[in-house]
Amino acid sequence: MVPNRIERIQDGIPRLPSGKLNRGALPKTTDGAPISITAPRTGREKSVAECWAKVLDVPTAQIGLESNFFELGGDSLLLISLVCELEAKGLFVEVHELFDNPTVAGSLPFLQQEQEYSSNQSPVIGSYPALARHRKLFADGFAHPAHWNRCILIDFHRLLDQDALQEAANAVSAHHDGLRLSFHEQNGDISFRFHPPGAMETTLSYLDLSALPAEVREKKKYGLLNELNESFDLAKPPLIKVAMIDDERRSTVALIVHHLLIDMRSCQVLLEDLLSSYQAAISHRSVRLPRKTSSLAEWTEALHAHIDQQWKQEELSYWQHELAGVSQCLPEGKALPDSYCAVDADQRTSALAVGKDVTERLVRGVAPRLDVGMQDIVLAAFAAAFRRWAGLNELVLNTCGVGRDKLFDDINLTRTVGELNTVYPLRISLEADNLLTTVAVKLREVPARGLHYGMLRYIAAHHELADAPEPEVFFNYVS
């Protein structure tokens, strides 16, 4: 390849916080010609571009063969959604292959017409040793662990059919093995059990507000949601409840699901499949959902076999260093700002909403220009605020990862419903002027994206980690 032009850079090569070339800071060439988009030409290229446009929520015309998925606002969760969209068109690819080749042209050689492996589509039944995320909940010592639930509210602009929604809820629960779990603790050991689809149904609670005065409707609505939230028992499925709340003109559907059953990716899959099943039921068609990917049972067995491999000792030392000094993380007697809203005697809350325009500039402007992720930016902003408030030179916190990284050749978790997020500690120096660089480098250094930490602490129970205190700060950001 022969370059069109060679130019001398007077002040050295500009670098991004990650250490890569900062293309935006390079001197402009003399012609200054705008970069053109090479439009997809073949049927396969057009199919891939359409999937990109749907997942990224941008016009198809903005997707060129050399467009970069992450520069257009993509992230790790959207990458998983892209894999599913491609599969719907009969194109199969691994998440890590798209991550390493994030352009339409770059991904084409990795697209397959058939999957190299096929997941078992039969219902999963039986008991299995708990995953690290499950064990952490029991170790955290919640007074009411069964009340640690997600509540998802979906407002519709029309009234729904109650029978069709019940049929859809049952279909989704029968299809996704991870929604039919119970959790059990015996002699200090934790396990989870898959129940057969016919042994349980997802009960639909119904509330009609149309005859009630406006001033009492919210109280009745949230009274039902609180009642459902408090009705969970980890040992007695189902750990998912569905409610349909009507007024004169529209329906609201509430999904109350225990955190141990779903993460953010699972929420996407659950909502997609529930809406698809409802459309089939209301049209008197058979409910047909996409094929299941690997089950939590397969994932559990693979992880327990993997923990006997040779990476353990090196990572033990790494995580011990990260947890060093965790007890001095928060300053003693430091009051929270009065601007925070009081929750009770011991808690205050501060809420900040970032508008769509700022989000667009961050996701599609700042992040790709600096070659950093949104997690880098938000965590660096939090670290700066913490430094200003606490006056400390170090921050030790727990943070999250998606937990669906490609670890085994025969495991595919793109549509698996379960709590697969990883939780791991980070020890961040606050002394540097450029915290964004510090945070970006730190996150890239994390071995196995934090997956092994939970395995070592909660499954292998290495005392070097299991006996260490948890960080008092939790930074919850997953794409």
Side-chain angles (χ1 to χ4, degrees):
M1 298 177 66
V2 180
N4 293 327
R5 175 181 288 101
I6 298 176
E7 296 198 17
R8 184 182 300 277
I9 300 175
Q10 300 292 342
D11 301 320
I13 297 176
R15 299 287 181 183
L16 294 166
S18 62
K20 296 182 181 179
L21 172 66
N22 185 350
R23 297 179 182 273
L26 289 171
K28 303 298 182 184
T29 57
T30 54
D31 57 8
I35 299 175
S36 61
I37 293 177
T38 304
R41 297 177 295 272
T42 68
R44 173 175 283 201
E45 290 171 357
K46 291 177 180 178
S47 293
V48 174
E50 289 168 1
C51 293
W52 277 45
K54 183 176 180 180
V55 170
L56 294 170
D57 192 24
V58 299
T60 307
Q62 291 186 16
I63 309 298
L65 290 178
E66 300 302 329
S67 299
N68 186 292
F69 185 79
F70 299 108
E71 291 180 2
L72 290 175
D75 55 39
S76 53
L77 277 182
L78 289 178
L79 202 63
I80 296 173
S81 298
L82 177 59
V83 169
C84 294
E85 287 295 329
L86 290 168
E87 287 181 1
K89 289 182 177 287
L91 300 172
F92 300 94
V93 64
E94 297 291 347
V95 174
H96 72 92
E97 291 171 334
L98 289 180
F99 188 88
D100 294 336
N101 303 276
T103 66
V104 173
S107 67
L108 291 175
F110 300 93
L111 298 175
Q112 305 293 327
Q113 293 294 134
E114 297 181 1
Q115 285 181 295
E116 295 181 1
Y117 51 84
S118 178
S119 300
N120 186 356
Q121 299 302 300
S122 301
V124 179
I125 302 171
S127 296
Y128 293 83
L131 295 166
R133 198 72 174 93
H134 304 155
R135 295 173 187 272
K136 176 172 168 49
L137 173 70
F138 286 87
D140 285 343
F142 284 108
H144 302 286
H147 297 174
W148 192 49
N149 306 318
R150 292 181 186 269
C151 181
I152 306 168
L153 296 178
I154 315 161
D155 292 321
F156 292 85
H157 296 296
R158 64 185 186 282
L159 290 169
L160 301 184
D161 183 277
Q162 188 176 345
D163 292 336
L165 183 60
Q166 177 71 76
E167 182 181 342
N170 287 337
V172 171
S173 179
H175 182 72
H176 291 292
D177 304 300
L179 296 178
R180 304 192 311 275
L181 297 184
S182 60
F183 295 86
H184 306 272
E185 183 176 16
Q186 186 173 12
N187 299 324
D189 192 28
I190 315 295
S191 64
F192 64 94
R193 182 181 304 155
F194 291 96
H195 295 263
M200 51 172 277
E201 286 193 348
T202 303
T203 304
L204 175 66
S205 300
Y206 180 72
L207 177 63
D208 186 357
L209 301 175
S210 58
L212 298 177
E215 59 270 17
V216 302
R217 291 186 178 187
E218 286 294 293
K219 182 177 180 181
K220 290 287 290 185
K221 172 182 174 181
Y222 286 101
L224 172 63
L225 298 181
N226 287 332
E227 178 183 330
L228 292 174
N229 183 68
E230 294 172 1
S231 67
F232 282 75
D233 183 335
L234 289 176
K236 297 178 181 178
L239 297 180
I240 173 174
K241 307 289 176 74
V242 183
M244 177 174 165
I245 304 169
D246 285 351
D247 61 17
E248 296 87 350
R249 300 182 304 278
R250 66 190 65 187
S251 296
T252 296
V253 174
L255 302 178
I256 301 96
V257 193
H258 198 275
H259 263 281
L260 290 186
L261 266 59
I262 58 171
D263 53 18
M264 285 302 296
R265 172 57 189 160
S266 302
C267 288
Q268 294 174 341
V269 173
L270 178 58
L271 292 177
E272 290 170 3
D273 288 358
L274 183 66
L275 294 176
S276 172
S277 299
Y278 178 82
Q279 290 297 329
I282 200 68
S283 303
H284 304 290
R285 293 183 284 106
S286 298
V287 175
R288 292 186 178 181
L289 295 173
R291 290 175 61 84
K292 295 189 295 185
T293 51
S294 301
S295 70
L296 286 179
E298 295 171 292
W299 180 235
T300 299
E301 291 174 338
L303 286 180
H304 278 76
H306 177 66
I307 204 168
D308 292 329
Q309 297 182 9
Q310 298 302 312
W311 49 266
K312 291 192 297 184
Q313 192 55 50
E314 181 180 341
E315 285 206 24
L316 268 175
S317 301
Y318 177 89
W319 294 118
Q320 281 182 272
H321 175 267
E322 293 301 284
L323 288 171
V326 68
S327 58
Q328 292 85 39
C329 181
L330 288 177
E332 294 184 8
K334 186 77 172 181
L336 290 170
D338 293 335
S339 59
Y340 286 20
C341 300
V343 176
D344 55 35
D346 300 317
Q347 295 184 32
R348 290 182 182 272
T349 299
S350 177
L352 172 65
V354 179
K356 183 178 180 180
D357 57 336
V358 175
T359 303
E360 287 282 336
R361 292 202 300 271
L362 284 173
V363 173
R364 293 176 179 165
V366 175
R369 189 168 66 248
L370 297 180
D371 192 33
V372 295
M374 279 305 301
Q375 184 178 13
D376 303 330
I377 294 173
V378 180
L379 180 52
F382 173 76
F386 181 87
R387 178 175 61 184
R388 187 167 60 248
W389 169 71
L392 300 178
N393 59 10
E394 189 172 71
L395 168 61
V396 184
L397 52 74
N398 269 344
T399 190
C400 288
V402 174
R404 295 172 184 257
D405 303 288
K406 185 68 176 177
L407 194 60
F408 310 106
D409 291 338
D410 56 348
I411 297 289
N412 174 12
L413 300 173
T414 51
R415 281 187 55 83
T416 303
V417 170
E419 170 53 299
L420 299 177
N421 288 346
T422 57
V423 175
Y424 57 91
L426 278 181
R427 185 179 180 184
I428 303 171
S429 171
L430 303 179
E431 296 180 327
D433 293 332
N434 191 339
L435 282 177
L436 181 56
T437 299
T438 300
V439 168
V441 171
K442 186 70 181 181
L443 286 172
R444 282 157 180 75
E445 290 176 348
V446 174
R449 302 193 186 186
L451 176 63
H452 291 157
Y453 172 75
M455 296 167 62
L456 291 170
R457 179 166 186 144
Y458 297 106
I459 296 178
H462 285 278
H463 69 88
E464 299 96 328
L465 302 181
D467 296 340
E470 287 272 27
E472 298 175 288
V473 178
F474 186 72
F475 179 79
N476 188 1
Y477 181 90
V478 183
S479 294

